[in-house]
Amino acid sequence: MEGLLNDMNQPASLALRPVPYLVLLAPASVLTVKSVAQICLALLFLLAIFGLPKIQAQRLTSEERWLGLSLLLYPAAVLLGFVWLNHYPWRQFDAPLRLALAVPVLWFLARADLPYLKDYRLGCALGCMGAAGWALWTVNLPNAAHFNRATNSFANPIPFACIALILAFSALPDTDCKPMERRVLTACAILGLGAALASESRAILMFMPVAAILYALSLRRPGAVGRRSWIGVSVVSLALFGVTALLLKDRVSESIQQVTSYSAEPVNSSLGTRLQLWNASARIFLQHPVLGVGKGNLPQELKLLAANGSISPTAAGFDHSHNDMLFLLAETGIVGALSVAAMYLAFLVAFAKRLGSADARIRWAAYAGSVTLAAYVIFGLTDCMLTISMQTAFLGLSTTLLYAQIRQWERFGVHHA
């Protein structure tokens, strides 16, 4: 790394020195110690602000500018809602702000020449170990709030499972790993998968086949995907789905029972409460379609609906919709929901274009970015992933780091990797 830094001017090299350590620490700590990943994002933001004016590199491409701006859309939509309603609950801006902090990091690291993907993958492997430790601790302790489902002290089981799966699939080895490294990374990934399964989140059933297909795409050689390869991928995906369904059979059976027994009367089962929240959120959105009722105002709207008997008091006790898009539509309207959808789509397109790269490292980084986004979208169907600062910070930081690494290699090649 010293040779790389000596090729750059001194202020920029000083800003780059801590980057590999922060890149490793963020995924390693995201499920282990509260707020450390957010501190890593804040430090990377400060380093980027310091180094961005100094770094000597090519100009930003239109894609880099657009991706950076896409991270600003949701925070801007929230601020617009504050102004529109003349109500400024700044605490509600905490989570969206994390996406804005990632913008200078993206623009700075995309023009640096500092490989750190191995540090990120090692951090994910360590994060899997931490998640497994929390899972062992929580499932063996009385935990009435979560019925002994794996979690930690600062995340609910669903986001815990989401991030644990991201860490697990991001820790998997690529084609260039040495045999011993491959075995260690695979073992760590299995620990992360086990931690996610112990959370008993049913969204895992949808995510596992998607992640398996993306991983297979990252390992293939361009032009080498034939009929037999796709058959193999399909078999593995179905096997993962089957094993996951078997391990979560009690939760699946509970869902089926709730669906078949659900009636027009409000019910307070897990599924029944969600259905009430989804219906209520849709009604609130239709009454306030452009900018919603404002960040932080959904709970009081739910209480009003409970007061007139539209939903049960149990459902009115929640502070979000248990669905990302419905929650965004209710609180920030079509403007906020489209801003988040645009961010997801922009990064998904950027990563998807690189899944066919001739370079294995670029394919793997694109796969890891795609897995991260797919997890947030899928788990966002049954929970709200962008309401907690830690979860939002991890999304912004991980996608930014992976995309910036890809752009470095596309600019400077992989001779330093």
Side-chain angles (χ1 to χ4, degrees):
M1 190 172 75
E2 293 295 331
L4 284 177
L5 299 178
N6 289 335
D7 292 338
M8 308 178 67
N9 59 59
Q10 189 63 22
S13 67
L14 289 174
L16 285 171
R17 287 181 188 276
V19 167
Y21 307 104
L22 295 172
V23 168
L24 184 149
L25 184 59
S29 64
V30 64
L31 288 181
T32 307
V33 183
K34 185 178 181 180
S35 299
V36 175
Q38 295 190 68
I39 293 171
C40 291
L41 172 59
L43 291 175
L44 285 168
F45 168 79
L46 293 175
L47 291 171
I49 293 298
F50 173 73
L52 198 54
K54 319 284 192 309
I55 194 167
Q56 300 298 318
Q58 299 179 31
R59 297 177 61 184
L60 291 171
T61 64
S62 58
E63 182 184 66
E64 290 164 352
R65 287 195 296 269
W66 165 236
L67 289 177
L69 292 174
S70 75
L71 290 167
L72 295 173
L73 291 176
Y74 178 44
V78 173
L79 289 176
L80 180 61
F82 287 177
V83 174
W84 179 261
L85 297 171
N86 196 25
H87 180 55
Y88 300 89
W90 290 112
R91 184 178 179 183
Q92 298 296 326
F93 191 61
D94 191 42
L97 177 62
R98 299 304 185 267
L99 297 176
L101 293 180
V103 176
V105 179
L106 185 152
W107 287 342
F108 177 53
L109 292 181
R111 296 189 287 172
D113 188 4
L114 180 68
Y116 52 72
L117 189 62
K118 289 185 177 180
D119 301 296
Y120 180 80
R121 186 166 54 203
L122 176 58
C124 289
L126 294 174
C128 288
M129 297 171 64
W134 271 111
L136 287 172
W137 177 259
T138 52
V139 299
N140 290 296
L141 285 178
N143 186 3
H146 299 301
F147 306 101
N148 299 107
R149 296 167 61 186
T151 182
N152 58 26
S153 62
F154 52 90
N156 290 329
I158 294 177
F160 178 87
C162 175
I163 296 178
L165 285 172
I166 292 171
L167 296 174
F169 279 91
S170 298
L172 287 172
D174 62 23
T175 54
D176 292 325
C177 288
K178 297 177 181 178
M180 179 56 69
E181 183 182 6
R182 181 179 297 274
R183 287 191 286 269
V184 171
L185 290 173
T186 302
C188 290
I190 292 172
L191 289 176
L193 290 173
L197 288 169
S199 75
E200 299 183 7
S201 174
R202 287 166 286 207
I204 298 172
L205 284 168
M206 293 182 285
F207 174 78
M208 291 285 267
V210 173
I213 291 171
L214 289 172
Y215 185 59
L217 290 174
S218 75
L219 295 179
R220 85 198 197 290
R221 296 186 303 275
V225 181
R227 183 177 176 183
R228 294 175 61 183
S229 300
W230 281 115
I231 291 174
V233 170
S234 301
V235 170
V236 171
S237 300
L238 288 173
L240 281 173
F241 181 85
V243 170
T244 305
L246 181 63
L247 293 172
L248 300 179
K249 63 179 181 180
D250 292 337
R251 294 276 290 165
V252 174
S253 298
E254 178 186 345
S255 298
I256 295 173
Q257 182 179 3
Q258 290 172 4
V259 169
T260 56
S261 64
Y262 188 74
S263 66
E265 295 297 323
V267 294
N268 295 322
S269 64
S270 174
L271 179 62
T273 300
R274 279 180 167 83
L275 289 173
Q276 293 181 76
L277 290 169
W278 296 345
N279 288 331
S281 299
R283 288 175 58 182
I284 293 168
F285 160 65
L286 292 175
Q287 294 170 3
H288 308 272
V290 180
L291 290 170
V293 295
K295 284 292 292 179
N297 292 333
L298 180 66
Q300 65 191 44
E301 295 291 328
L302 293 176
K303 288 178 173 59
L304 290 175
L305 290 174
N308 63 31
S310 298
I311 62 174
S312 70
T314 299
F318 285 83
D319 58 4
H320 60 73
S321 307
H322 267 290
N323 178 286
D324 254 333
M325 279 299 152
L326 285 173
F327 182 60
L328 289 165
L329 286 169
E331 286 207 335
T332 61
I334 194 69
V335 173
L338 284 179
S339 69
V340 172
M343 177 191 68
Y344 280 145
L345 183 61
F347 275 95
L348 277 171
V349 169
F351 287 129
K353 289 195 303 185
R354 274 79 177 192
L355 286 172
S357 172
D359 189 280
R361 294 182 181 90
I362 291 178
R363 288 200 308 274
W364 192 92
Y367 141 76
S370 300
V371 159
T372 301
L373 291 163
Y376 270 75
V377 171
I378 290 172
F379 280 83
L381 296 175
T382 57
D383 202 7
C384 292
M385 299 299 299
L386 301 181
T387 58
I388 307 298
S389 298
M390 177 272 289
Q391 297 160 199
T392 310
F394 183 68
L395 172 66
L397 183 57
S398 56
T399 52
T400 292
L401 291 174
L402 291 165
Y403 175 77
Q405 181 69 98
I406 289 172
R407 289 299 299 131
Q408 286 184 33
W409 284 337
E410 289 176 341
R411 276 196 168 100
F412 306 110
V414 295
H415 54 283
H416 295 309

PDB file of all heavy atoms in Angstrom, residues 169 204-217 228-246:
ATOM      1  N   PHE A 169     -23.070 -14.176   2.546  1.00  0.00           N
ATOM      2  CA  PHE A 169     -22.846 -14.327   1.112  1.00  0.00           C
ATOM      3  C   PHE A 169     -21.701 -13.440   0.622  1.00  0.00           C
ATOM      4  O   PHE A 169     -21.052 -13.764  -0.381  1.00  0.00           O
ATOM      5  CB  PHE A 169     -24.130 -14.045   0.347  1.00  0.00           C
ATOM      6  CG  PHE A 169     -25.069 -15.217   0.316  1.00  0.00           C
ATOM      7  CD1 PHE A 169     -26.041 -15.376   1.280  1.00  0.00           C
ATOM      8  CD2 PHE A 169     -24.949 -16.192  -0.664  1.00  0.00           C
ATOM      9  CE1 PHE A 169     -26.898 -16.468   1.271  1.00  0.00           C
ATOM     10  CE2 PHE A 169     -25.790 -17.296  -0.683  1.00  0.00           C
ATOM     11  CZ  PHE A 169     -26.770 -17.429   0.290  1.00  0.00           C
ATOM     12  N   ILE A 204     -36.150 -15.168   4.497  1.00  0.00           N
ATOM     13  CA  ILE A 204     -34.989 -15.944   4.069  1.00  0.00           C
ATOM     14  C   ILE A 204     -35.359 -16.876   2.918  1.00  0.00           C
ATOM     15  O   ILE A 204     -34.556 -17.138   2.016  1.00  0.00           O
ATOM     16  CB  ILE A 204     -34.403 -16.746   5.253  1.00  0.00           C
ATOM     17  CG1 ILE A 204     -33.923 -15.803   6.351  1.00  0.00           C
ATOM     18  CG2 ILE A 204     -33.257 -17.644   4.806  1.00  0.00           C
ATOM     19  CD1 ILE A 204     -33.508 -16.504   7.625  1.00  0.00           C
ATOM     20  N   LEU A 205     -36.583 -17.385   2.937  1.00  0.00           N
ATOM     21  CA  LEU A 205     -37.027 -18.306   1.884  1.00  0.00           C
ATOM     22  C   LEU A 205     -36.945 -17.662   0.505  1.00  0.00           C
ATOM     23  O   LEU A 205     -36.597 -18.323  -0.481  1.00  0.00           O
ATOM     24  CB  LEU A 205     -38.463 -18.752   2.158  1.00  0.00           C
ATOM     25  CG  LEU A 205     -38.654 -19.796   3.267  1.00  0.00           C
ATOM     26  CD1 LEU A 205     -40.133 -19.910   3.621  1.00  0.00           C
ATOM     27  CD2 LEU A 205     -38.097 -21.136   2.830  1.00  0.00           C
ATOM     28  N   MET A 206     -37.276 -16.387   0.412  1.00  0.00           N
ATOM     29  CA  MET A 206     -37.213 -15.688  -0.874  1.00  0.00           C
ATOM     30  C   MET A 206     -35.784 -15.295  -1.229  1.00  0.00           C
ATOM     31  O   MET A 206     -35.404 -15.274  -2.403  1.00  0.00           O
ATOM     32  CB  MET A 206     -38.099 -14.438  -0.836  1.00  0.00           C
ATOM     33  CG  MET A 206     -39.576 -14.722  -0.737  1.00  0.00           C
ATOM     34  SD  MET A 206     -40.571 -13.197  -0.759  1.00  0.00           S
ATOM     35  CE  MET A 206     -40.264 -12.597   0.897  1.00  0.00           C
ATOM     36  N   PHE A 207     -34.984 -14.992  -0.218  1.00  0.00           N
ATOM     37  CA  PHE A 207     -33.657 -14.454  -0.481  1.00  0.00           C
ATOM     38  C   PHE A 207     -32.658 -15.526  -0.913  1.00  0.00           C
ATOM     39  O   PHE A 207     -31.828 -15.286  -1.790  1.00  0.00           O
ATOM     40  CB  PHE A 207     -33.135 -13.738   0.772  1.00  0.00           C
ATOM     41  CG  PHE A 207     -31.714 -13.277   0.647  1.00  0.00           C
ATOM     42  CD1 PHE A 207     -31.391 -12.132  -0.080  1.00  0.00           C
ATOM     43  CD2 PHE A 207     -30.680 -13.989   1.234  1.00  0.00           C
ATOM     44  CE1 PHE A 207     -30.087 -11.719  -0.212  1.00  0.00           C
ATOM     45  CE2 PHE A 207     -29.370 -13.578   1.113  1.00  0.00           C
ATOM     46  CZ  PHE A 207     -29.069 -12.432   0.394  1.00  0.00           C
ATOM     47  N   MET A 208     -32.701 -16.701  -0.292  1.00  0.00           N
ATOM     48  CA  MET A 208     -31.654 -17.704  -0.510  1.00  0.00           C
ATOM     49  C   MET A 208     -31.486 -18.106  -1.975  1.00  0.00           C
ATOM     50  O   MET A 208     -30.364 -18.131  -2.482  1.00  0.00           O
ATOM     51  CB  MET A 208     -31.937 -18.929   0.358  1.00  0.00           C
ATOM     52  CG  MET A 208     -31.764 -18.686   1.852  1.00  0.00           C
ATOM     53  SD  MET A 208     -30.033 -18.587   2.346  1.00  0.00           S
ATOM     54  CE  MET A 208     -29.741 -20.281   2.795  1.00  0.00           C
ATOM     55  N   PRO A 209     -32.554 -18.427  -2.718  1.00  0.00           N
ATOM     56  CA  PRO A 209     -32.348 -18.774  -4.136  1.00  0.00           C
ATOM     57  C   PRO A 209     -31.766 -17.622  -4.945  1.00  0.00           C
ATOM     58  O   PRO A 209     -30.919 -17.836  -5.824  1.00  0.00           O
ATOM     59  CB  PRO A 209     -33.757 -19.139  -4.611  1.00  0.00           C
ATOM     60  CG  PRO A 209     -34.523 -19.470  -3.380  1.00  0.00           C
ATOM     61  CD  PRO A 209     -33.963 -18.584  -2.313  1.00  0.00           C
ATOM     62  N   VAL A 210     -32.201 -16.400  -4.667  1.00  0.00           N
ATOM     63  CA  VAL A 210     -31.674 -15.233  -5.381  1.00  0.00           C
ATOM     64  C   VAL A 210     -30.178 -15.093  -5.136  1.00  0.00           C
ATOM     65  O   VAL A 210     -29.385 -14.890  -6.068  1.00  0.00           O
ATOM     66  CB  VAL A 210     -32.414 -13.954  -4.939  1.00  0.00           C
ATOM     67  CG1 VAL A 210     -31.762 -12.718  -5.554  1.00  0.00           C
ATOM     68  CG2 VAL A 210     -33.886 -14.028  -5.319  1.00  0.00           C
ATOM     69  N   ALA A 211     -29.776 -15.215  -3.872  1.00  0.00           N
ATOM     70  CA  ALA A 211     -28.353 -15.084  -3.526  1.00  0.00           C
ATOM     71  C   ALA A 211     -27.525 -16.198  -4.157  1.00  0.00           C
ATOM     72  O   ALA A 211     -26.401 -15.966  -4.622  1.00  0.00           O
ATOM     73  CB  ALA A 211     -28.188 -15.095  -2.012  1.00  0.00           C
ATOM     74  N   ALA A 212     -28.063 -17.408  -4.195  1.00  0.00           N
ATOM     75  CA  ALA A 212     -27.332 -18.531  -4.795  1.00  0.00           C
ATOM     76  C   ALA A 212     -27.105 -18.310  -6.286  1.00  0.00           C
ATOM     77  O   ALA A 212     -26.021 -18.572  -6.818  1.00  0.00           O
ATOM     78  CB  ALA A 212     -28.104 -19.828  -4.562  1.00  0.00           C
ATOM     79  N   ILE A 213     -28.122 -17.800  -6.978  1.00  0.00           N
ATOM     80  CA  ILE A 213     -27.988 -17.539  -8.410  1.00  0.00           C
ATOM     81  C   ILE A 213     -26.955 -16.442  -8.654  1.00  0.00           C
ATOM     82  O   ILE A 213     -26.110 -16.547  -9.559  1.00  0.00           O
ATOM     83  CB  ILE A 213     -29.352 -17.154  -9.005  1.00  0.00           C
ATOM     84  CG1 ILE A 213     -30.285 -18.365  -9.001  1.00  0.00           C
ATOM     85  CG2 ILE A 213     -29.196 -16.610 -10.422  1.00  0.00           C
ATOM     86  CD1 ILE A 213     -31.715 -18.035  -9.362  1.00  0.00           C
ATOM     87  N   LEU A 214     -26.996 -15.389  -7.856  1.00  0.00           N
ATOM     88  CA  LEU A 214     -26.029 -14.301  -8.026  1.00  0.00           C
ATOM     89  C   LEU A 214     -24.602 -14.789  -7.774  1.00  0.00           C
ATOM     90  O   LEU A 214     -23.668 -14.394  -8.482  1.00  0.00           O
ATOM     91  CB  LEU A 214     -26.371 -13.154  -7.076  1.00  0.00           C
ATOM     92  CG  LEU A 214     -27.628 -12.356  -7.426  1.00  0.00           C
ATOM     93  CD1 LEU A 214     -27.974 -11.378  -6.304  1.00  0.00           C
ATOM     94  CD2 LEU A 214     -27.434 -11.590  -8.736  1.00  0.00           C
ATOM     95  N   TYR A 215     -24.425 -15.644  -6.777  1.00  0.00           N
ATOM     96  CA  TYR A 215     -23.079 -16.171  -6.495  1.00  0.00           C
ATOM     97  C   TYR A 215     -22.585 -17.024  -7.656  1.00  0.00           C
ATOM     98  O   TYR A 215     -21.412 -16.946  -8.049  1.00  0.00           O
ATOM     99  CB  TYR A 215     -23.094 -16.974  -5.200  1.00  0.00           C
ATOM    100  CG  TYR A 215     -21.731 -17.460  -4.769  1.00  0.00           C
ATOM    101  CD1 TYR A 215     -20.695 -16.555  -4.522  1.00  0.00           C
ATOM    102  CD2 TYR A 215     -21.471 -18.807  -4.618  1.00  0.00           C
ATOM    103  CE1 TYR A 215     -19.438 -16.998  -4.131  1.00  0.00           C
ATOM    104  CE2 TYR A 215     -20.223 -19.262  -4.222  1.00  0.00           C
ATOM    105  CZ  TYR A 215     -19.204 -18.350  -3.984  1.00  0.00           C
ATOM    106  OH  TYR A 215     -17.959 -18.788  -3.586  1.00  0.00           O
ATOM    107  N   ALA A 216     -23.464 -17.832  -8.214  1.00  0.00           N
ATOM    108  CA  ALA A 216     -23.080 -18.654  -9.364  1.00  0.00           C
ATOM    109  C   ALA A 216     -22.668 -17.778 -10.548  1.00  0.00           C
ATOM    110  O   ALA A 216     -21.698 -18.081 -11.256  1.00  0.00           O
ATOM    111  CB  ALA A 216     -24.236 -19.574  -9.756  1.00  0.00           C
ATOM    112  N   LEU A 217     -23.388 -16.672 -10.735  1.00  0.00           N
ATOM    113  CA  LEU A 217     -23.038 -15.758 -11.823  1.00  0.00           C
ATOM    114  C   LEU A 217     -21.656 -15.141 -11.604  1.00  0.00           C
ATOM    115  O   LEU A 217     -20.915 -14.893 -12.553  1.00  0.00           O
ATOM    116  CB  LEU A 217     -24.086 -14.655 -11.938  1.00  0.00           C
ATOM    117  CG  LEU A 217     -25.465 -15.073 -12.457  1.00  0.00           C
ATOM    118  CD1 LEU A 217     -26.437 -13.897 -12.386  1.00  0.00           C
ATOM    119  CD2 LEU A 217     -25.367 -15.599 -13.889  1.00  0.00           C
ATOM    120  N   ARG A 228     -25.984 -26.859 -18.929  1.00  0.00           N
ATOM    121  CA  ARG A 228     -25.666 -27.639 -17.739  1.00  0.00           C
ATOM    122  C   ARG A 228     -25.392 -26.739 -16.543  1.00  0.00           C
ATOM    123  O   ARG A 228     -25.746 -27.072 -15.409  1.00  0.00           O
ATOM    124  CB  ARG A 228     -24.453 -28.537 -18.018  1.00  0.00           C
ATOM    125  CG  ARG A 228     -24.725 -29.619 -19.058  1.00  0.00           C
ATOM    126  CD  ARG A 228     -23.470 -30.411 -19.383  1.00  0.00           C
ATOM    127  NE  ARG A 228     -22.957 -31.095 -18.213  1.00  0.00           N
ATOM    128  CZ  ARG A 228     -21.834 -31.805 -18.204  1.00  0.00           C
ATOM    129  NH1 ARG A 228     -21.115 -31.918 -19.321  1.00  0.00           N
ATOM    130  NH2 ARG A 228     -21.435 -32.412 -17.102  1.00  0.00           N
ATOM    131  N   SER A 229     -24.761 -25.588 -16.786  1.00  0.00           N
ATOM    132  CA  SER A 229     -24.480 -24.665 -15.680  1.00  0.00           C
ATOM    133  C   SER A 229     -25.765 -24.151 -15.057  1.00  0.00           C
ATOM    134  O   SER A 229     -25.910 -24.085 -13.833  1.00  0.00           O
ATOM    135  CB  SER A 229     -23.639 -23.492 -16.184  1.00  0.00           C
ATOM    136  OG  SER A 229     -22.414 -23.937 -16.704  1.00  0.00           O
ATOM    137  N   TRP A 230     -26.717 -23.788 -15.911  1.00  0.00           N
ATOM    138  CA  TRP A 230     -27.975 -23.264 -15.382  1.00  0.00           C
ATOM    139  C   TRP A 230     -28.766 -24.342 -14.663  1.00  0.00           C
ATOM    140  O   TRP A 230     -29.454 -24.070 -13.671  1.00  0.00           O
ATOM    141  CB  TRP A 230     -28.809 -22.662 -16.509  1.00  0.00           C
ATOM    142  CG  TRP A 230     -28.343 -21.298 -16.900  1.00  0.00           C
ATOM    143  CD1 TRP A 230     -27.812 -20.911 -18.083  1.00  0.00           C
ATOM    144  CD2 TRP A 230     -28.336 -20.138 -16.067  1.00  0.00           C
ATOM    145  NE1 TRP A 230     -27.471 -19.586 -18.058  1.00  0.00           N
ATOM    146  CE2 TRP A 230     -27.786 -19.080 -16.834  1.00  0.00           C
ATOM    147  CE3 TRP A 230     -28.724 -19.881 -14.753  1.00  0.00           C
ATOM    148  CZ2 TRP A 230     -27.627 -17.803 -16.333  1.00  0.00           C
ATOM    149  CZ3 TRP A 230     -28.572 -18.606 -14.248  1.00  0.00           C
ATOM    150  CH2 TRP A 230     -28.027 -17.584 -15.030  1.00  0.00           C
ATOM    151  N   ILE A 231     -28.675 -25.571 -15.131  1.00  0.00           N
ATOM    152  CA  ILE A 231     -29.330 -26.677 -14.427  1.00  0.00           C
ATOM    153  C   ILE A 231     -28.738 -26.835 -13.033  1.00  0.00           C
ATOM    154  O   ILE A 231     -29.450 -27.007 -12.040  1.00  0.00           O
ATOM    155  CB  ILE A 231     -29.203 -27.985 -15.230  1.00  0.00           C
ATOM    156  CG1 ILE A 231     -30.038 -27.902 -16.510  1.00  0.00           C
ATOM    157  CG2 ILE A 231     -29.648 -29.175 -14.381  1.00  0.00           C
ATOM    158  CD1 ILE A 231     -29.867 -29.093 -17.437  1.00  0.00           C
ATOM    159  N   GLY A 232     -27.402 -26.752 -12.959  1.00  0.00           N
ATOM    160  CA  GLY A 232     -26.734 -26.857 -11.658  1.00  0.00           C
ATOM    161  C   GLY A 232     -27.145 -25.756 -10.713  1.00  0.00           C
ATOM    162  O   GLY A 232     -27.415 -25.993  -9.528  1.00  0.00           O
ATOM    163  N   VAL A 233     -27.193 -24.530 -11.237  1.00  0.00           N
ATOM    164  CA  VAL A 233     -27.608 -23.396 -10.413  1.00  0.00           C
ATOM    165  C   VAL A 233     -29.041 -23.578  -9.926  1.00  0.00           C
ATOM    166  O   VAL A 233     -29.367 -23.318  -8.761  1.00  0.00           O
ATOM    167  CB  VAL A 233     -27.470 -22.078 -11.202  1.00  0.00           C
ATOM    168  CG1 VAL A 233     -28.131 -20.927 -10.450  1.00  0.00           C
ATOM    169  CG2 VAL A 233     -26.007 -21.766 -11.451  1.00  0.00           C
ATOM    170  N   SER A 234     -29.907 -24.056 -10.806  1.00  0.00           N
ATOM    171  CA  SER A 234     -31.309 -24.267 -10.438  1.00  0.00           C
ATOM    172  C   SER A 234     -31.437 -25.323  -9.342  1.00  0.00           C
ATOM    173  O   SER A 234     -32.219 -25.163  -8.398  1.00  0.00           O
ATOM    174  CB  SER A 234     -32.122 -24.693 -11.661  1.00  0.00           C
ATOM    175  OG  SER A 234     -32.055 -23.717 -12.672  1.00  0.00           O
ATOM    176  N   VAL A 235     -30.666 -26.398  -9.466  1.00  0.00           N
ATOM    177  CA  VAL A 235     -30.714 -27.463  -8.453  1.00  0.00           C
ATOM    178  C   VAL A 235     -30.242 -26.945  -7.099  1.00  0.00           C
ATOM    179  O   VAL A 235     -30.872 -27.192  -6.064  1.00  0.00           O
ATOM    180  CB  VAL A 235     -29.862 -28.667  -8.907  1.00  0.00           C
ATOM    181  CG1 VAL A 235     -29.698 -29.665  -7.754  1.00  0.00           C
ATOM    182  CG2 VAL A 235     -30.490 -29.338 -10.103  1.00  0.00           C
ATOM    183  N   VAL A 236     -29.137 -26.196  -7.103  1.00  0.00           N
ATOM    184  CA  VAL A 236     -28.622 -25.643  -5.844  1.00  0.00           C
ATOM    185  C   VAL A 236     -29.628 -24.672  -5.226  1.00  0.00           C
ATOM    186  O   VAL A 236     -29.867 -24.687  -4.009  1.00  0.00           O
ATOM    187  CB  VAL A 236     -27.264 -24.947  -6.080  1.00  0.00           C
ATOM    188  CG1 VAL A 236     -26.830 -24.185  -4.822  1.00  0.00           C
ATOM    189  CG2 VAL A 236     -26.197 -25.973  -6.452  1.00  0.00           C
ATOM    190  N   SER A 237     -30.231 -23.831  -6.044  1.00  0.00           N
ATOM    191  CA  SER A 237     -31.201 -22.860  -5.543  1.00  0.00           C
ATOM    192  C   SER A 237     -32.409 -23.554  -4.929  1.00  0.00           C
ATOM    193  O   SER A 237     -32.875 -23.179  -3.845  1.00  0.00           O
ATOM    194  CB  SER A 237     -31.651 -21.930  -6.666  1.00  0.00           C
ATOM    195  OG  SER A 237     -30.557 -21.225  -7.212  1.00  0.00           O
ATOM    196  N   LEU A 238     -32.913 -24.584  -5.615  1.00  0.00           N
ATOM    197  CA  LEU A 238     -34.049 -25.326  -5.079  1.00  0.00           C
ATOM    198  C   LEU A 238     -33.672 -26.057  -3.797  1.00  0.00           C
ATOM    199  O   LEU A 238     -34.480 -26.144  -2.858  1.00  0.00           O
ATOM    200  CB  LEU A 238     -34.555 -26.320  -6.127  1.00  0.00           C
ATOM    201  CG  LEU A 238     -35.285 -25.717  -7.332  1.00  0.00           C
ATOM    202  CD1 LEU A 238     -35.579 -26.785  -8.368  1.00  0.00           C
ATOM    203  CD2 LEU A 238     -36.584 -25.052  -6.877  1.00  0.00           C
ATOM    204  N   ALA A 239     -32.441 -26.577  -3.756  1.00  0.00           N
ATOM    205  CA  ALA A 239     -31.992 -27.259  -2.540  1.00  0.00           C
ATOM    206  C   ALA A 239     -31.919 -26.287  -1.365  1.00  0.00           C
ATOM    207  O   ALA A 239     -32.351 -26.611  -0.244  1.00  0.00           O
ATOM    208  CB  ALA A 239     -30.630 -27.904  -2.782  1.00  0.00           C
ATOM    209  N   LEU A 240     -31.385 -25.092  -1.600  1.00  0.00           N
ATOM    210  CA  LEU A 240     -31.335 -24.094  -0.535  1.00  0.00           C
ATOM    211  C   LEU A 240     -32.736 -23.710  -0.071  1.00  0.00           C
ATOM    212  O   LEU A 240     -32.993 -23.566   1.132  1.00  0.00           O
ATOM    213  CB  LEU A 240     -30.588 -22.849  -1.027  1.00  0.00           C
ATOM    214  CG  LEU A 240     -29.069 -22.937  -1.047  1.00  0.00           C
ATOM    215  CD1 LEU A 240     -28.492 -21.690  -1.721  1.00  0.00           C
ATOM    216  CD2 LEU A 240     -28.501 -23.073   0.361  1.00  0.00           C
ATOM    217  N   PHE A 241     -33.639 -23.550  -1.022  1.00  0.00           N
ATOM    218  CA  PHE A 241     -35.024 -23.223  -0.672  1.00  0.00           C
ATOM    219  C   PHE A 241     -35.635 -24.341   0.171  1.00  0.00           C
ATOM    220  O   PHE A 241     -36.306 -24.089   1.183  1.00  0.00           O
ATOM    221  CB  PHE A 241     -35.839 -23.008  -1.944  1.00  0.00           C
ATOM    222  CG  PHE A 241     -37.276 -22.649  -1.686  1.00  0.00           C
ATOM    223  CD1 PHE A 241     -37.645 -21.337  -1.450  1.00  0.00           C
ATOM    224  CD2 PHE A 241     -38.254 -23.639  -1.666  1.00  0.00           C
ATOM    225  CE1 PHE A 241     -38.972 -20.999  -1.203  1.00  0.00           C
ATOM    226  CE2 PHE A 241     -39.580 -23.316  -1.426  1.00  0.00           C
ATOM    227  CZ  PHE A 241     -39.934 -21.993  -1.193  1.00  0.00           C
ATOM    228  N   GLY A 242     -35.403 -25.596  -0.242  1.00  0.00           N
ATOM    229  CA  GLY A 242     -35.969 -26.724   0.490  1.00  0.00           C
ATOM    230  C   GLY A 242     -35.417 -26.853   1.896  1.00  0.00           C
ATOM    231  O   GLY A 242     -36.163 -27.070   2.861  1.00  0.00           O
ATOM    232  N   VAL A 243     -34.097 -26.719   2.025  1.00  0.00           N
ATOM    233  CA  VAL A 243     -33.481 -26.820   3.356  1.00  0.00           C
ATOM    234  C   VAL A 243     -33.968 -25.687   4.257  1.00  0.00           C
ATOM    235  O   VAL A 243     -34.283 -25.900   5.433  1.00  0.00           O
ATOM    236  CB  VAL A 243     -31.938 -26.785   3.226  1.00  0.00           C
ATOM    237  CG1 VAL A 243     -31.289 -26.643   4.599  1.00  0.00           C
ATOM    238  CG2 VAL A 243     -31.442 -28.050   2.538  1.00  0.00           C
ATOM    239  N   THR A 244     -34.047 -24.482   3.704  1.00  0.00           N
ATOM    240  CA  THR A 244     -34.523 -23.347   4.493  1.00  0.00           C
ATOM    241  C   THR A 244     -35.968 -23.553   4.925  1.00  0.00           C
ATOM    242  O   THR A 244     -36.335 -23.301   6.081  1.00  0.00           O
ATOM    243  CB  THR A 244     -34.406 -22.042   3.681  1.00  0.00           C
ATOM    244  OG1 THR A 244     -33.061 -21.881   3.236  1.00  0.00           O
ATOM    245  CG2 THR A 244     -34.799 -20.844   4.525  1.00  0.00           C
ATOM    246  N   ALA A 245     -36.811 -24.026   4.006  1.00  0.00           N
ATOM    247  CA  ALA A 245     -38.213 -24.286   4.341  1.00  0.00           C
ATOM    248  C   ALA A 245     -38.334 -25.353   5.417  1.00  0.00           C
ATOM    249  O   ALA A 245     -39.182 -25.253   6.315  1.00  0.00           O
ATOM    250  CB  ALA A 245     -38.974 -24.706   3.086  1.00  0.00           C
ATOM    251  N   LEU A 246     -37.481 -26.372   5.352  1.00  0.00           N
ATOM    252  CA  LEU A 246     -37.511 -27.427   6.365  1.00  0.00           C
ATOM    253  C   LEU A 246     -37.117 -26.881   7.739  1.00  0.00           C
ATOM    254  O   LEU A 246     -37.770 -27.180   8.748  1.00  0.00           O
ATOM    255  CB  LEU A 246     -36.562 -28.559   5.955  1.00  0.00           C
ATOM    256  CG  LEU A 246     -36.489 -29.764   6.912  1.00  0.00           C
ATOM    257  CD1 LEU A 246     -37.849 -30.457   6.986  1.00  0.00           C
ATOM    258  CD2 LEU A 246     -35.409 -30.739   6.447  1.00  0.00           C
TER     259      LEU A 246
END
